[in-house]
Amino acid sequence: MGNVAVVGAQWGDEGKGKIVDWLSERADVVVRFQGGSNAGHTLVIGNVEYRLSLLPSGVVRPGKLSIIGNGVVVDPWALVTEIETMRNKGLDISPQNLRLADNAALILPSHGALDRARDARRGDNRIGTTGRGIGPAYEDKVGRRAIRVCDLADPKALEWRVDDVLLHHNALLRGLGEPEVDRAELYAALTTVAPQILPYAGPVWRLLDEARSRGRRILFEGAQGAMLDVDHGTYPFVTSSNTVAGQAAAGSGLAPGAVGYVLGITKAYTTRVGAGPFPTELTDAIGEKLGERGREFGTMTGRKRRCGWFDAVAVRQAIKTGGIGGIALTKLDVLDGFDEIKICTAYRRGGETHDFVPAGMTAQAELEPVYESAEGWDQSTRGARSWADLPATAIKYIRRLEELIGAPVALLSTSPEREDTVLVRDPFAD
């Protein structure tokens, strides 16, 4: 039995939370390997809804080890709040079942201030970030001025790191006309939060190596989606980290060969939050219907998601760049009752046809979808747990998607409920 990496194959919000939770029953360890508190996973268990951000989905299951890897940028105050919120919902969270990479970079309040100020000054050209400081935190990480979790345990190093990062932040804040950060206040805030998160900190790469050596099943939990990858997405309208499965190794400290099977999550249609190209976007009544039926609002931000038909070109590219072996198709039930369903099979730009997403920003903005039509179905698919429960036309739609994207459906989700899942192929069996 192998390990599994779960990644988004669209622009995020594909329903990874439920799939990771479903798979975590078969896993021993669940690892977050990139992103920050801008990512949100909603899990519905019985009558309780859990909205997770930094915490891996494994925390909702007893007996699982959850790890926040070094590839994640961590807002320590948001983490403390989230832990307390989940405890109030009845979850047992302690250093025995939650571990935090001691070499993970921290998100500071000034990261959020810079994030919001810079995007606001872009005006109509704003990227549409969540404003939570994710991008600036990753900038500081690669700029070698980040404060890391381990620095909280070393007062001398922390003082030096605070001075170094504020030399940069305050210069930027002055230039943007924003209030500067008080050094003493930031240092005091960090020393106050330190004892709240340091008990969880340690060299998680060792824990993962030990788990692998003992044959434990490891589930790597990605955030956002392939089209938001900083290298392979619709740049610059992307997140600030690599979201493809290759990051699972670098963002956790485990060797690439140990990652194993890659499961890509994709909705039966397409959504996107924020600005950026979206060739299949529907701004008509059909788009509104998809959004209403799919409850398309951001888990953490509440922002309304843009909705459109399934983009097979983008998903096929995500499968190629991400090494995806199979997909989990989610929210099929949202398409119930449509007489006609469209699928984007190519793009048209000027007199040219494209079978891939071009890298250029202008080219991406000018893409027009080339559609083929599929027959809809009247019967409900909500709650289906086997192929026999699905209408023949729904199965035909799924098979056509498989042909177009070049990957099989391994899992099929028909509602937010954990058990409303059709297992076609067990990812852990590969």
Side-chain angles (χ1 to χ4, degrees):
M1 307 296 281
N3 302 323
V4 176
V6 174
V7 295
Q10 294 167 310
W11 276 283
D13 307 307
E14 301 97 346
K16 291 183 292 296
K18 174 196 167 173
I19 300 300
V20 170
D21 171 57
W22 193 86
L23 288 170
S24 68
E25 184 177 14
R26 296 157 174 78
D28 301 299
V29 184
V30 183
V31 189
R32 268 287 306 275
F33 60 84
Q34 52 79 216
S37 54
N38 57 338
H41 291 165
T42 301
L43 309 179
V44 179
I45 302 173
N47 296 321
V48 183
E49 182 178 81
Y50 300 96
R51 295 191 176 190
L52 304 178
S53 180
L54 281 167
L55 292 175
S57 298
V59 297
V60 303
R61 287 189 178 273
K64 309 296 180 181
L65 175 62
S66 293
I67 291 178
I68 301 173
N70 57 275
V72 179
V73 284
V74 179
D75 181 328
W77 300 278
L79 178 58
V80 169
T81 298
E82 189 173 344
I83 289 172
E84 288 305 312
T85 299
M86 292 304 113
R87 281 176 175 163
N88 291 336
K89 286 180 175 285
L91 297 183
D92 178 20
I93 300 177
S94 72
Q96 280 66 54
N97 64 357
L98 174 66
R99 302 298 292 169
L100 169 64
D102 56 4
N103 55 340
L106 298 180
I107 298 176
L108 308 176
S110 48
H111 286 130
L114 286 169
D115 201 3
R116 294 185 293 271
R118 291 192 308 196
D119 211 34
R121 279 157 179 75
R122 291 187 177 104
D124 293 339
N125 296 318
R126 65 182 59 192
I127 293 173
T129 74
T130 59
R132 296 176 181 237
I134 310 301
Y138 274 115
E139 290 176 36
D140 283 349
K141 178 178 178 177
V142 298
R144 296 169 294 183
R145 55 181 171 265
I147 297 174
R148 303 193 298 173
V149 173
C150 56
D151 295 325
L152 298 178
D154 185 345
K156 184 177 180 180
L158 182 60
E159 288 196 19
W160 184 72
R161 300 309 304 150
V162 166
D163 289 337
D164 193 42
V165 75
L166 289 188
L167 178 67
H168 182 72
H169 284 199
N170 280 337
L172 289 175
L173 290 168
R174 280 195 302 272
L176 291 166
E178 298 292 329
E180 294 184 34
V181 178
D182 182 273
R183 187 231 189 241
E185 289 183 5
L186 175 60
Y187 185 82
L190 289 168
T191 55
T192 299
V193 79
Q196 296 176 273
I197 68 168
L198 283 175
Y200 299 93
V204 302
W205 63 268
R206 293 186 64 183
L207 293 175
L208 289 169
D209 182 63
E210 290 169 4
R212 181 191 60 79
S213 299
R214 294 166 62 188
R216 297 295 180 89
R217 299 176 188 172
I218 303 172
L219 183 61
F220 299 90
E221 177 182 6
Q224 290 92 32
M227 289 294 107
L228 293 176
D229 185 278
V230 70
D231 288 305
H232 302 288
T234 48
Y235 191 92
F237 302 99
V238 293
T239 194
S240 300
S241 61
N242 288 112
T243 62
V244 295
Q247 179 64 17
S252 65
L254 198 60
V259 173
Y261 185 86
V262 181
L263 181 69
I265 316 299
T266 176
K267 284 176 181 168
Y269 51 100
T270 309
T271 63
R272 174 165 199 168
V273 171
F278 186 179
T280 66
E281 182 175 12
L282 298 170
T283 57
D284 56 10
I286 294 177
E288 287 293 320
K289 185 176 181 179
L290 289 172
E292 290 172 5
R293 296 184 64 177
R295 298 176 63 188
E296 297 297 351
F297 297 90
T299 299
M300 300 309 300
T301 64
R303 291 189 296 177
K304 185 177 180 181
R305 296 172 186 146
R306 302 153 65 190
C307 298
W309 295 120
F310 188 89
D311 189 335
V313 182
V315 174
R316 183 171 63 243
Q317 186 161 321
I319 286 169
K320 300 291 186 183
T321 58
I324 293 172
I327 66 167
L329 189 66
T330 66
K331 294 198 171 184
L332 181 69
D333 56 298
V334 173
L335 297 181
D336 292 351
F338 281 94
D339 294 328
E340 179 188 41
I341 301 169
K342 293 185 178 181
I343 308 168
C344 175
T345 60
Y347 303 130
R348 187 178 294 111
R349 181 185 176 225
E352 297 182 353
T353 299
H354 295 273
D355 62 355
F356 66 96
V357 182
M361 183 172 69
T362 300
Q364 291 174 358
E366 294 175 349
L367 296 175
E368 297 179 359
V370 176
Y371 288 121
E372 69 173 47
S373 294
E375 183 183 356
W377 53 89
D378 292 329
Q379 305 99 310
S380 172
T381 63
R382 186 175 179 85
R385 298 183 182 181
S386 71
W387 287 112
D389 297 331
L390 298 174
T393 46
I395 296 175
K396 185 177 179 181
Y397 175 72
I398 294 168
R399 295 307 185 204
R400 182 55 179 154
L401 295 187
E402 290 178 321
E403 292 174 359
L404 291 169
I405 65 177
V409 170
L411 291 169
L412 178 66
S413 172
T414 56
S415 92
E417 295 296 331
R418 177 188 289 174
E419 300 307 321
D420 291 340
T421 305
V422 180
L423 175 63
V424 183
R425 179 179 182 180
D426 187 351
F428 280 112
D430 286 83

